[in-house]
Amino acid sequence: MTSSPDSTAVAQKNTLATHRTIITAFMAFTAVALSVATFEYMMVPLQIDLAISVDGLTGLTLTPVAASLLVVFVVGALGDRLGLRRTMSGGAILYVLGAVLVMVATSQAWVMAGRGLTGIGGITLAITGLATLNATCRDAKERGKVFGYLAAILPATFLLGALVAAGLTDSWGWRTVPVLWILLGVAILVSIRLSPFTPVSGRAKGELATPILAGLVLAGLGIAATTLTSNRAFAVAAVTVAVTALVALLLLMRALSHPTLDLRVLRPRGATFIVGAILLTTAVNFYFFVNLFIQYRFQLPLIQVSLLFVAPQIAGVAGGIIGGRISSRWNAPTAATIALGASAAGALCFLFVRAESPVWVPIVVLTLMSLPNSASVGPLTQLLLDGAPAEGSGAASAVRSALWSVGGIFGSIALGSIAFTAFTASLTDSLHASGLDLSAASALAEKIRSGGIVAEIQQELSATAPLSGLELSGLTSGLGLAQLHALHLLAIIGFAMLVCAGILLGVLAARARKDRVAHELQTLNNSV
């Protein structure tokens, strides 16, 4: 039986409309990545132009992170309550307004306000974009491919956004970079108008206190973790807010019969394994540490460093697509397990970076690791969202965003603390072995760790302790050896964390196979 021309035309029209919705979701998800990828290339000229201190610049970096964590669960609730179209449109408007404020800013306060709005707008777009994909793509094979493409967006945006932002800043100044954000926000608004969305879920309207309190917990802990070393009093205040909010949240969740904070995506069997794998995987961020390693070891200009990272970012794009294809052909647990195993092997390859290795060696290793690491993102996202109820896509997407943020923030801080502690200890030992007093060696190592200018320290040291000055500057000793020890330690820890994540998903995959076999046997017995 053949279909009529009218039915074929209707099917083609529906397919085109679905594709428009998926593209809109991809564009929305790109917003956060674009603002993060491009801001670092406007930081230095912005700091000089507006006379912003180093602490102030740190605050500008943290502002969108804190703002997004604060509203992450509120956005999920609003997406399920008001509908994804309205919520996404509101996010795009806030994103554009924030970009405009940054573009015309004449003081640090205006930049901070703009960054806060782009953070709120960006997380709104990311959550609603992910929820849209989850609600639109229900076929298992289609979901695997779509979430794979989603995983490729992040490295692709960092690749293209970094190059464009560096060129714009060098040619026309830092104020041209927010124009990219504005153009993307406007394009999203136009695309929303042209795309169909699933209707409002009809969830009962209730309080917003529980999602607000949950956001306060995350934001407080995130701010405390990132400011602990620079502003201890502020970190203590942030922890106090987080703990108070947590106590209030627990009391309110017990008191309310139907709290708005929706955590049902965490209830299905095996969700704990998925959450553990996500937190472990997102904690291992070798892009940041290899970037630092290359900048400090080879003293290259920022634009050259960004060009070096083109290959790992391209590998990340390819990895996201490949991970989606594997997930579509087999299943998400198997795809994620394979990807994490390969990523762990890639992390261990950093042990092959030696003191005399040229700059391309760590880049090649990072490229080899980036492909499978990115390949795990789509399957992990699919695994988590597969447990979401149909009317709770917004809330489930908010949980996913929160997990990725928490894993990234606390993982970077923990691994960074371990790496810099190893660096300081190794450098102290080297300087002490060269004849420098242990307390003096420790003080110099701490000074370098805290951002002291190495050339000035080395010049002073050469005048008072020539042997220690030579030790400090050697590639196979002093500073060079300390950097290498820190990288190697991170390789071992990253390998262990990724193996643990792979084991969790391997257990989940084994359970899935066992359940599938049991279901097939039950079906066979029933038929007999």
Side-chain angles (χ1 to χ4, degrees):
M1 181 177 179
T2 59
S3 58
S4 66
D6 288 342
S7 63
T8 302
V10 170
Q12 291 176 345
K13 184 177 180 180
N14 291 337
T15 301
L16 181 61
T18 300
H19 288 169
R20 284 202 305 266
T21 304
I22 292 173
I23 291 172
T24 303
F26 283 161
M27 291 169 62
F29 199 80
T30 304
V32 175
L34 183 66
S35 59
V36 173
T38 55
F39 182 70
E40 65 177 89
Y41 290 91
M42 57 184 279
M43 283 172 58
V44 175
L46 181 149
Q47 180 186 16
I48 296 172
D49 192 18
L50 301 184
I52 299 174
S53 66
V54 175
D55 289 339
L57 205 59
T58 302
L60 293 180
T61 304
L62 295 176
T63 295
V65 178
S68 62
L69 286 175
L70 186 64
V71 302
V72 61
F73 293 111
V74 175
V75 170
L78 291 178
D80 292 331
R81 178 177 300 182
L82 302 178
L84 296 175
R85 181 192 294 275
R86 291 182 183 179
T87 310
M88 187 183 291
S89 297
I93 292 171
L94 290 177
Y95 188 80
V96 170
L97 288 177
V100 171
L101 284 181
V102 174
M103 183 181 66
V104 302
T106 56
S107 67
Q108 178 182 331
W110 283 106
V111 179
M112 186 168 289
R115 292 280 286 162
L117 284 178
T118 56
I120 294 173
I123 196 64
T124 303
L125 289 170
I127 290 173
T128 53
L130 185 58
T132 298
L133 291 179
N134 190 49
T136 303
C137 308
R138 302 309 303 172
D139 178 74
K141 291 188 175 182
E142 182 186 16
R143 283 169 69 81
K145 292 180 181 179
V146 168
F147 285 126
Y149 289 128
L150 184 72
I153 285 177
L154 185 62
T157 304
F158 270 82
L159 170 62
L160 299 176
L163 295 175
V164 173
L168 287 175
T169 303
D170 288 341
S171 301
W172 292 291
W174 64 267
R175 294 184 188 275
T176 57
V177 175
V179 174
L180 296 176
W181 311 348
I182 295 171
L183 292 175
L184 177 60
V186 171
I188 292 170
L189 283 170
V190 173
S191 189
I192 290 171
R193 297 284 297 177
L194 299 176
S195 304
F197 280 77
T198 53
V200 178
S201 62
R203 285 175 59 86
K205 293 178 172 56
E207 44 77 32
L208 288 178
T210 51
I212 290 174
L213 288 171
L216 277 173
V217 173
L218 289 184
L221 293 177
I223 292 172
T226 52
T227 59
L228 183 60
T229 56
S230 59
N231 192 332
R232 192 174 297 273
F234 189 72
V236 171
V239 169
T240 303
V241 171
V243 171
T244 304
L246 178 60
V247 172
L249 175 63
L250 294 175
L251 292 174
L252 200 55
M253 291 287 285
R254 288 178 62 88
L256 296 173
S257 57
H258 298 289
T260 301
L261 182 62
D262 186 355
L263 302 178
R264 286 176 295 169
V265 70
L266 302 178
R267 292 179 184 174
R269 183 169 178 249
T272 304
F273 291 88
I274 299 169
V275 170
I278 289 174
L279 292 176
L280 287 169
T281 305
T282 52
V284 183
N285 180 10
F286 273 92
Y287 275 89
F288 173 73
F289 294 111
V290 172
N291 193 318
L292 282 182
F293 179 79
I294 288 175
Q295 287 191 53
Y296 283 108
R297 192 172 186 82
F298 299 98
Q299 301 294 311
L300 297 176
L302 198 58
I303 186 64
Q304 290 188 28
V305 175
S306 67
L307 289 174
L308 284 171
F309 278 81
V310 167
Q313 299 289 11
I314 291 176
V317 174
I321 297 172
I322 292 171
R325 295 300 176 94
I326 295 174
S327 180
S328 176
R329 175 167 294 184
W330 294 338
N331 55 65
T334 302
T337 303
I338 294 172
L340 289 175
S343 186
L348 209 58
C349 287
F350 279 108
L351 294 177
F352 291 103
V353 179
R354 312 310 304 169
E356 64 279 3
S357 296
V359 67
W360 58 265
V361 174
I363 290 296
V364 168
V365 176
L366 182 64
T367 302
L368 293 175
M369 183 184 176
S370 296
L371 194 150
N373 192 61
S374 182
S376 69
V377 175
L380 283 172
T381 300
Q382 182 182 348
L383 275 172
L384 182 69
L385 295 186
D386 279 348
E391 78 284 1
S393 288
S397 299
V399 171
R400 187 268 186 194
S401 297
L403 289 174
W404 246 263
S405 297
V406 168
I409 292 173
F410 289 96
S412 296
I413 292 169
L415 292 182
S417 177
I418 292 171
F420 286 123
T421 299
F423 168 86
T424 305
S426 176
L427 185 56
T428 299
D429 290 342
S430 295
L431 293 175
H432 181 53
S434 70
L436 200 63
D437 178 75
L438 183 59
S439 60
S442 178
L444 278 177
E446 283 291 344
K447 187 175 182 180
I448 292 174
R449 173 181 176 173
S450 301
I453 299 175
V454 176
E456 294 179 358
I457 295 173
Q458 183 182 347
Q459 186 176 6
E460 296 173 3
L461 192 59
S462 298
T464 57
L467 290 178
S468 297
L470 290 173
E471 180 73 18
L472 178 65
S473 61
L475 272 180
T476 57
S477 63
L479 194 62
L481 189 62
Q483 292 168 340
L484 201 60
H485 281 167
L487 183 63
H488 286 174
L489 181 59
L490 284 175
I492 295 171
I493 295 174
F495 168 79
M497 294 175 68
L498 291 170
V499 166
C500 288
I503 290 173
L504 288 175
L505 293 182
V507 171
L508 191 67
R511 280 187 177 182
R513 285 194 297 270
K514 183 179 179 180
D515 291 344
R516 186 168 59 253
V517 170
H519 177 72
E520 291 174 354
L521 288 175
Q522 183 64 39
T523 303
L524 181 62
N525 290 334
N526 291 338
S527 63
V528 173

